[in-house]
């Protein structure tokens, strides 16, 4: 690790928002970064981090605010000093206020179409009047700008006052991680952070406001109209704060049993009845779910159409399950304890940024000796604590929220901040009586049996082949091949097995792509119950419907991993789907496609790739194929074709010998009994060569109620080599900070603005993307601003000094030289070479070599060349309607998604040509040959 990282937690958050300025704590979290007395420049810290390969972030929670950054180790001390100034003497530049409020507003606008955020806001609104759980913690332009203006509130003064009162050293915690000696780090921290002021005032305390949801409004049924098409039932209980029982973790124990998916579980029973697809239970440990005033326990079920129609039935099963939870606690507690301890003991380094963040938050919650383990381990079994929590999870104390698109038109109420439509009613009396008076046992429900997937053998295996730096091919036939690398670096009793099972039938038609999605979803469903125990024993599996094949990923302790792998392949070999299950999943998949299409950023990607990648099926075409109607016979026929001819390509890394690894490939070929492919299947698409012009494809957003638009301006380069790729990476790195400064900070176009390099099936390009709000800017104006930015960037770039160029090259080289922190990172990198069939396992070294030979003028010339008259430029606009364009009230809020509406660009975009029909546009364009980036 050649990085230094740090996280700082302030023990206050949105609960401290003043009543007349909702969102002030969040706003301050943004503003505090706007220059400091010692380093006054507004974007100075970001610019410094970008130059030295770093990044930063921050987040505001109910009772905590966390800041973190990472940077190359050699700049760590300087970065710490620059960062600490925000807590010592920030400037919060006055004229940045109006602009930064737009970033906060944009964040609010982005959150608005999210069902989970909407649910939280609605839930919070049920709290007792005046309780902080009911606060609007996001903040927006209305609460932080317009309202204060009207009421003559000086926001600037209030920000400074909030900072002075609440950013006090005595309840801040700091974590630093870097390879320096501990003494050195301590010295730095003392030297720099001792200047953070301490006002000695008591820490804000809310623990005297218990039972926020002890209100008549709570124990009711709320019907909600969601943004996404989904039926879901949420059952929520508000318990006394449970954080103090972190050594027992009663809610973790209960959620483990509620969320169990093996035989005898709630979900198993619901799945068999075709009522539910998924179930989650527990407490997410965010400030909203757990704070000093209460703890949440919630169960969330994704229902099928039938489950929704009879939603009291699945609820009944849950209440029945509660009956048997109190029995036999010790055996199960011990098992969970063992699993958590195994996980902790053989923990692979989690994302280091997350780690320092966790540690500095733990420092606010636990005594010193539990700083590193308090959030993870189950320390002691305490049946009283568990029973006390369990006894509160009764129907009389539950809050029910039922989400369904079918509620549209029946919900007269609107939540104040996010506009969620809802209605409220009493829970049906006859059910309530059944639950409270004479609840009968359900014989299909029982506690889980002993888990056979828990590893007990942690020995490292002796090697049976020479050590290698990169994977080598150890098996190869016309039906499959295997890449293998024995782990000789991390030395843990874990392993990764991945296979790409390639078939040419998937891309034959949009219908086939849909059937393949169904196959993978139903395979997952068939596996869910038998493989669940493996999952809780920390063995992970993932099935992905790739563009050209099925991707199977398995990882975890190697001891029982083959058991899980065999289970998956056996289910693939014996694949079947009953008509019930088939219709449940096709109904669900239709909702999934819908939910993808209504997201502007997903639609934008779909449109861009539809233009660029030849013979790709679009999401809209898939939605149409599915709506046209498919049968379970179609699926069984597809599954037969799919399994008849295949090529299986795998990668095994970790604690398996080469002899053991070869057996995984053998198991696939023997069990699936397929024949070889008639011809090689290219695992990529052919790409369209854009004309030397500017084209704009402008489509209407398919989410009627969403104000978010997206603009992506893409410059195509072509089928280039590895050197060009690194050049573009370098370019994008140079662009990031000025792009953010220009488009987000100065022009306030939106919260998400970013340049990126694009590798589209081997064809390179770069793009700048802005997510904006139609209520503020139209997409054409945004595009013109992006152009303005690129022009100013071009000017700056041509003045780039040799020194600045070299600093950035070094930063990028350092990033590429950054050692893997865990085996998974190495596997991910190697796997991307296998799955794209490029096999350049030493790509990073080659890229570093290319970077070291690059000159300043090459970079400048390249940019000029691609930006001049002769550029192949494609803009994709997903344009939302914004406010005032909402259709008449009686119209549905759900748009029609089976067709794209193209919009003509205005004369302002001249000389750009509008694409009004994608097929007609690409029909006569030449195709680049298949291309891999190898040299
Ligand atoms: Zn924010």
């Amino acid at each position: 690790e050649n990085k230094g990282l740090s996280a700082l937690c302030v023990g206050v958050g949105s609960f401290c928002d003043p009543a007349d300025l909702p969102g002030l704590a969040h706003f301050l979290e943004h503003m505090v970064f706007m220059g400091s007395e010692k380093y006054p420049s507004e974007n100075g810290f970001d610019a410094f981090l970008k130059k030295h390969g770093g990044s930063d972030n921050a987040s505001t929670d109910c009772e905590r605010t966390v800041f973190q950054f990472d940077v190359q180790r050699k700049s760590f001390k300087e970065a710490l000093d620059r960062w600490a100034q925000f807590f010592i003497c920030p400037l919060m530049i006055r004229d940045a206020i109006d602009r930064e409020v737009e970033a906060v507003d944009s964040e609010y606008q982005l959150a608005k179409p999210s069902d989970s955020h909407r649910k939280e806001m609605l839930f919070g609104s049920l709290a007792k009047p005046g309780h902080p759980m009911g606060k609007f913690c996001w903040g927006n332009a209305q609460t932080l700008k317009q309202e204060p203006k009207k009421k003559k509130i000086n926001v600037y003064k209030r920000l400074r006052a909030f900072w002075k009162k609440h950013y006090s050293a005595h309840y801040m915690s700091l974590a630093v991680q870097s390879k320096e000696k501990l003494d050195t780090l301590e010295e730095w921290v003392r030297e720099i952070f001792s200047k953070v002021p301490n006002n000695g005032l008591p820490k804000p305390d809310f623990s005297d406001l218990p039972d926020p949801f002890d209100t008549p409004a709570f124990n009711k049924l709320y019907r909600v109209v969601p943004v996404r098409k989904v039926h879901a039932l949420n059952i929520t209980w508000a318990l006394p704060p449970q954080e103090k029982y972190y050594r027992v973790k009663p809610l973790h124990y209960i959620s483990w049993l509620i969320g169990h998916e093996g035989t005898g579980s709630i979900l198993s029973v619901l799945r068999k009845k075709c009522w539910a697809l998924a179930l989650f239970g527990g407490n997410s440990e965010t400030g909203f779910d757990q704070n000093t005033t209460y703890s949440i326990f919630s169960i969330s079920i994704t229902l099928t159409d039938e489950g929704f129609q009879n939603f009291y039935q699945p609820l009944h099963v849950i209440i029945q399950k509660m009956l048997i939870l109190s029995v036999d606690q010790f055996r199960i507690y011990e098992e969970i304890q063992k699993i958590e301890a195994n996980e902790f003991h053989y923990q692979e380094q989690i994302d280091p940024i997350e780690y320092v963040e966790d540690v500095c938050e733990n420092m606010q919650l636990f005594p010193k000796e539990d700083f590193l383990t308090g959030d993870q381990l189950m320390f002691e079994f305490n049946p009283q604590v568990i029973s006390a929590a369990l006894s509160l999870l009764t129907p009389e104390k539950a809050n029910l929220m039922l989400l369904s698109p079918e509620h549209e038109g029946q919900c007269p109420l609107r939540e104040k901040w996010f506009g969620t439509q809802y209605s409220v009613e009493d829970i049906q009396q006859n059910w309530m009586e059944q639950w409270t008076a004479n609840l009968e046992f359900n014989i299909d429900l029982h506690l889980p049996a002993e888990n056979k997937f828990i590893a007990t053998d942690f020995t490292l295996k002796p090697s049976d082949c020479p050590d290698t730096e990169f994977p080598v091919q150890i098996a190869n036939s016309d039906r499959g091949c295997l890449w293998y690398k024995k782990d000789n670096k991390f030395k843990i009793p874990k392993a990764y097995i991945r296979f790409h099972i390639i078939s040419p039938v998937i891309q034959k038609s949009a219908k086939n792509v849909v059937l393949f999605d169904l196959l993978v979803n139903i395979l997952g469903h068939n596996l869910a119950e038998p493989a669940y125990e493996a999952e809780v024993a920390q063995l992970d599996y993932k099935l992905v419907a790739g563009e050209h094949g099925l991707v199977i990923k398995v990882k975890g302790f190697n001891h029982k991993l083959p058991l899980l792998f065999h289970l998956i392949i056996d289910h693939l070999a014996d694949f079947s789907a009953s008509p019930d299950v088939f219709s449940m999943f096709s109904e669900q998949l239709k909702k999934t496609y819908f939910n993808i299409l209504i997201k502007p950023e997903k639609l934008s990607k779909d449109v861009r790739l539809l233009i660029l990648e030849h013979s790709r099926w679009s999401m809209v075409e898939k939605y149409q194929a599915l709506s046209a109607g498919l049968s379970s016979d179609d699926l069984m026929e597809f599954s037969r074709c799919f399994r008849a001819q295949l090529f299986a390509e795998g990668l095994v890394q970790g604690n398996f010998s080469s002899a053991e690894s070869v057996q995984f490939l053998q198991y696939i070929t023997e069990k699936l009994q397929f024949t070889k492919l008639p011809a090689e299947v290219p695992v990529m698409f052919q790409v369209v060569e854009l004309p030397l012009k500017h084209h704009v494809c402008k489509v209407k957003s398919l989410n009627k109620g969403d104000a978010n638009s997206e603009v992506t301006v893409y410059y195509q380069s072509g089928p280039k080599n590895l050197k060009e790729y690194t050049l573009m990476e370098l370019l994008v790195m140079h662009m990031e900070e000025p792009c953010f400064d220009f488009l987000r900070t100065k022009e306030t176009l939106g919260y998400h603005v970013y340049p990126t390099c694009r590798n589209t099936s081997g064809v390179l390009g770069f793009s700048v993307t802005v997510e904006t709000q139609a209520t503020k800017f139209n997409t054409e104006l945004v595009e013109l601003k992006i152009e303005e930015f690129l022009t100013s960037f071009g000017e700056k770039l041509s003045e780039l000094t040799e020194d600045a160029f070299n600093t950035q090259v070094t930063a990028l080289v350092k990033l590429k030289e950054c050692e893997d922190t865990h085996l998974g990172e190495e596997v991910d990198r190697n796997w991307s070479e296998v799955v794209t069939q490029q096999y350049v396992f030493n790509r990073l070294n080659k890229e570093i070599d290319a970077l070291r030979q690059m000159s300043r003028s090459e970079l400048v010339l390249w940019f000029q060349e691609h930006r001049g008259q002769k550029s192949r430029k494609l803009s994709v606009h997903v344009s939302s309607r914004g406010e005032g364009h909402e259709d008449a009230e009686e119209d549905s809020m759900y748009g029609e998604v089976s067709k794209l509406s193209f919009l003509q660009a205005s004369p302002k975009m001249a000389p750009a040509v509008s694409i009004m029909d994608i097929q007609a546009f690409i029909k006569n364009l030449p195709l680049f040959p298949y291309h891999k980036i190898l040299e």
Side-chain angles (χ1 to χ4, degrees), residues 615-735:
S615 78
R616 164 188 273 275
W617 302 102
S618 73
M619 195 49 82
V620 169
E621 285 164 313
K622 286 161 70 175
Y623 186 82
Q624 288 166 347
L626 186 55
S627 305
L630 298 169
S631 69
S632 60
D633 290 341
D634 290 335
L635 178 62
M636 291 320 290
E637 172 59 17
F638 172 81
S639 133
R640 201 190 49 74
C641 289
F642 171 76
R643 280 175 299 168
Q645 296 178 327
L646 296 167
F647 185 81
E649 183 158 18
L651 171 70
V652 179
Q653 289 196 222
N655 193 27
F656 280 123
S657 69
S658 71
E660 288 168 317
S661 299
V662 172
Q663 285 171 14
F664 296 121
L665 177 62
Q666 266 169 12
Y667 196 82
I668 290 186
T669 45
E670 276 161 26
K671 198 79 197 184
L672 296 180
Q673 291 288 327
F674 52 88
T675 60
K676 69 176 175 124
L677 296 179
E680 205 182 315
V681 175
V683 290
M684 49 169 66
F685 293 98
Q686 262 190 293
V687 175
V688 163
E689 180 174 358
L690 292 173
L692 288 163
K693 263 199 191 131
H694 178 199
H695 282 90
V696 185
C697 186
K698 200 171 158 182
V699 300
K700 267 196 203 165
S701 162
L702 298 174
N703 186 351
K704 287 166 74 178
D706 185 353
N708 296 294
S709 296
E710 201 202 72
V711 179
T712 295
V713 177
Y714 168 78
Y715 286 89
Q716 188 176 53
S717 173
K720 298 294 169 66
N721 54 24
L722 198 135
K723 182 176 173 190
E724 185 132 2
Y725 180 77
T726 55
L727 191 146
M728 279 173 35
E729 266 191 304
L730 193 62
L731 179 75
V732 165
M733 231 177 147
H734 272 285
M735 220 185 265

Side-chain angles (χ1 to χ4, degrees), residues 26 29-30 107 751:
H26 177 209
E29 170 237 295
H30 281 239
E107 224 178 313
Y751 183 76

